[in-house]
Amino acid sequence: QVKWKGKDLFDLVCRTLGLRETWFFGLQYTIKDTVAWLKMDKKVLDHDVPTEEPVTFHFLAKFYPENAEEELVQEITQHLFFLQVKKQILDEKIYCPPEASVLLASYAVQAKYGDYDPNVHKRGFLAQEELLPKRVINLYQMTPEMWEERITAWYAEHRGRARDEAEMEYLKIAQDLEMYGVNYFTIRNKKGTELLLGVDALGLHIYDPDNRLTPKISFPWNEIRNISYSDKEFTIKPLDKKIDVFKFNSSKLRVNKLILQLCIGNHDLFMRRRKADSLEVQQMKAQAREEKARKQMERQRLAREKQMREEAERTRDELERRLMQLKEEATMANEALMRSEETADLLAEKAQITEEEAKLLAQKAAEAEQEMQRIKATAIRTEEEKRLMEQKVLEAEMLALKMAEESERRAKEADQLKQDLQEARESERRAKQKLLEIT
């Protein structure tokens, strides 16, 4: 609306997001290469915003917490900080060492993809993701596949972390980086030396222009008695009167106003943190604890269901494997039974043949005995006939003896074959019993 003030627009955005921790955020815009923030008590269209339409504002964190885990209550607040800090690291507005960059990337992957699953997250699944600052990538002669392998190795270690937990772990690491949450401004001291002023949640820091990581001197908020601003000159008065007053100035009026805004806002939050929580914050923290407990219970329930499902699948696979094994055993038992039946039939046939042969030999032996008795009874008149007869009798006796031995041997063979047949029948019975058990 034309008459809306900055607060009206800001409140609309916060309601749309469901955001209650509004004190960290603001609406930022750019005018003549200088960053500015929408003032809450001033009409939106009264700001020196760009004239082209549509007018673009960026909803961003203006102030950073000292300790993200303790101060950021709502999940949406944590998520917005996570997105902003991740972008600042990837855009190299916050310096991050290579090893920390890989670890942060692994938490970002956990937040987006959930638990690592080698069957789903196969080689190349991060090919389209922007996860590391270009400076880190260019620092080492490593292929994208090698970087992905290193990130995935860390990613696999984060199993069980929900999105909000992974994002908070990301912020806990990022908040220890030297450039985290620092707004830098070019200033000059009384001597005209160019320096950098850093404003963050802990205080004011003075840097050498070539080194944004280590401040030359710092003024914590609790050690600052007063910050005054006149024209283009700022004066920092420490509580300890023995420490010299530090004066500096900036070349642009807009920058001076921004520095003053950030100083006031950060100092207010610094003091607020050291007081008891307001009723609103206490209520938000209680709701956040309840919501976290509910989500934890839900995650535990899902984890149990997943575990039960995996156990059921393992049991099913084991039963299927056992069934296949039993089928193979049944097939082998069937084949053994068929071989046993064929062997038994063959032995039975051979035993029958041997028995018939034994009977036939016994019959021939009996006939030979009868022939010998008949020859003995026959009177032989002449000596030659007698000798011939004796010779025939001897041959008949030899033949009868041979026939008797052969008959006895055949009888024994028949008995052995009967015994083999009995064993084959027993083997067949056992095979049938085993098949019955398997079935």
Side-chain angles (χ1 to χ4, degrees):
Q1 301 294 328
V2 175
K3 295 182 180 180
W4 271 10
K5 292 183 177 180
K7 190 176 188 310
D8 297 318
L9 179 59
F10 180 75
D11 288 347
L12 176 62
V13 176
C14 292
R15 284 199 305 273
T16 305
L17 292 171
L19 179 71
R20 294 177 66 185
E21 295 172 275
T22 58
W23 47 87
F24 290 112
F25 298 90
L27 290 170
Q28 188 186 89
Y29 62 97
T30 304
I31 183 72
K32 296 180 181 178
D33 299 325
T34 304
V35 168
W37 295 88
L38 199 66
K39 292 180 180 178
M40 297 293 126
D41 56 352
K42 188 176 180 180
K43 286 185 179 180
V44 175
L45 298 180
D46 287 349
H47 290 73
D48 49 355
V49 295
T51 54
E52 65 270 10
E53 291 188 4
V55 179
T56 302
F57 294 96
H58 296 281
F59 185 81
L60 295 170
K62 186 176 182 180
F63 305 106
Y64 288 74
E66 290 180 37
N67 187 317
E69 190 173 24
E70 290 181 4
E71 293 181 51
L72 304 183
V73 180
Q74 283 188 287
E75 189 176 324
I76 180 63
T77 315
Q78 297 172 15
H79 182 60
L80 291 172
F81 266 97
F82 163 75
L83 293 176
Q84 183 163 328
V85 172
K86 185 177 78 163
K87 182 167 176 27
Q88 288 175 331
I89 289 174
L90 293 178
D91 292 345
E92 300 181 35
K93 292 178 180 177
I94 297 177
Y95 171 79
C96 185
E99 199 63 31
S101 297
V102 174
L103 180 57
L104 289 174
S106 68
Y107 278 115
V109 173
Q110 177 73 19
K112 182 172 182 178
Y113 290 96
D115 288 346
Y116 173 68
D117 185 346
N119 298 319
V120 177
H121 307 119
K122 297 181 179 178
R123 184 184 291 271
F125 80 105
L126 297 178
Q128 303 302 318
E129 298 287 342
E130 185 184 1
L131 296 169
L132 297 170
K134 288 184 172 57
R135 174 187 52 78
V136 173
I137 295 172
N138 296 332
L139 199 59
Y140 301 94
Q141 293 181 343
M142 291 174 63
T143 63
E145 291 76 16
M146 294 166 71
W147 282 115
E148 180 181 296
E149 188 176 339
R150 291 196 63 186
I151 293 171
T152 305
W154 280 104
Y155 168 40
E157 297 291 323
H158 306 326
R159 172 172 292 278
R161 293 187 187 274
R163 190 193 79 167
D164 58 324
E165 293 173 335
E167 291 180 351
M168 182 50 71
E169 290 299 322
Y170 188 104
L171 290 174
K172 284 160 66 177
I173 296 168
Q175 72 184 4
D176 290 332
L177 300 174
E178 288 84 351
M179 296 175 66
Y180 169 86
V182 182
N183 288 283
Y184 293 93
F185 303 95
T186 302
I187 61 170
R188 292 182 184 277
N189 61 12
K190 289 188 296 184
K191 296 178 182 178
T193 306
E194 191 170 291
L195 298 169
L196 282 178
L197 171 69
V199 185
D200 68 6
L202 298 174
L204 299 176
H205 315 280
I206 310 300
Y207 299 84
D208 189 9
D210 298 326
N211 182 2
R212 296 189 175 210
L213 300 179
T214 309
K216 297 173 69 174
I217 183 171
S218 290
F219 300 95
W221 294 122
N222 60 346
E223 295 179 11
I224 297 175
R225 179 160 47 96
N226 184 28
I227 299 175
S228 58
Y229 166 61
S230 174
D231 293 330
K232 294 182 180 179
E233 188 176 70
F234 281 87
T235 303
I236 302 174
K237 295 180 181 179
L239 273 175
D240 188 350
K241 295 183 179 180
K242 294 179 182 179
I243 300 175
D244 292 337
V245 172
F246 184 82
K247 294 185 178 183
F248 64 89
N249 59 62
S250 169
S251 58
K252 294 182 180 179
L253 182 61
R254 284 194 182 89
V255 174
N256 291 337
K257 290 180 178 179
L258 179 56
I259 293 172
L260 191 61
Q261 280 182 32
L262 292 175
C263 287
I264 294 170
N266 276 299
H267 183 265
D268 287 347
L269 284 175
F270 180 86
M271 299 305 293
R272 178 174 174 174
R273 291 183 192 105
R274 280 141 186 85
K275 296 178 182 177
D277 289 335
S278 66
L279 192 62
E280 181 188 6
V281 173
Q282 290 178 21
Q283 181 189 19
M284 285 167 56
K285 286 186 175 180
Q287 289 176 349
R289 284 194 296 269
E290 291 174 3
E291 182 67 14
K292 191 172 184 179
R294 187 190 65 77
K295 286 187 176 181
Q296 186 66 26
M297 290 179 62
E298 181 68 15
R299 281 198 290 268
Q300 289 175 354
R301 184 183 66 79
L302 291 174
R304 285 195 300 270
E305 289 179 358
K306 184 180 179 182
Q307 184 180 359
M308 291 171 64
R309 185 169 65 251
E310 289 174 350
E311 288 177 358
E313 289 174 354
R314 282 196 296 271
T315 304
R316 183 198 64 197
D317 294 340
E318 177 61 26
L319 288 173
E320 288 179 351
R321 187 189 65 77
R322 181 63 183 150
L323 179 60
M324 291 296 295
Q325 184 180 347
L326 288 172
K327 284 182 178 178
E328 290 176 2
E329 289 181 5
T331 303
M332 292 172 64
N334 269 324
E335 292 174 354
L337 178 61
M338 289 175 66
R339 286 196 297 271
S340 298
E341 289 175 346
E342 290 173 358
T343 304
D345 293 343
L346 188 63
L347 287 172
E349 186 179 347
K350 192 172 182 181
Q352 185 178 357
I353 293 171
T354 305
E355 192 174 354
E356 289 175 356
E357 288 179 349
K359 287 180 181 179
L360 185 60
L361 288 170
Q363 184 179 351
K364 287 184 177 180
E367 290 175 355
E369 182 66 27
Q370 290 175 4
E371 180 66 18
M372 181 184 68
Q373 294 298 330
R374 190 181 61 77
I375 291 171
K376 283 183 178 180
T378 303
I380 304 172
R381 292 179 179 180
T382 61
E383 199 66 23
E384 182 66 24
E385 287 177 344
K386 185 177 178 181
R387 186 181 63 76
L388 291 172
M389 190 58 67
E390 287 176 352
Q391 185 176 353
K392 286 185 178 180
V393 169
L394 184 60
E395 289 176 356
E397 287 178 348
M398 291 291 290
L399 180 61
L401 183 61
K402 187 175 180 181
M403 288 293 184
E405 290 175 354
E406 181 68 17
S407 175
E408 187 178 354
R409 187 181 68 79
R410 290 290 184 172
K412 287 180 179 179
E413 187 176 347
D415 291 341
Q416 182 63 41
L417 287 169
K418 285 180 180 179
Q419 187 176 348
D420 292 347
L421 175 60
Q422 187 175 359
E423 291 177 357
R425 294 293 187 192
E426 181 62 24
S427 176
E428 178 183 353
R429 186 188 65 76
R430 287 197 300 271
K432 286 180 177 179
Q433 181 65 27
K434 186 176 181 181
L435 179 62
L436 184 60
E437 291 173 0
I438 293 169
T439 308

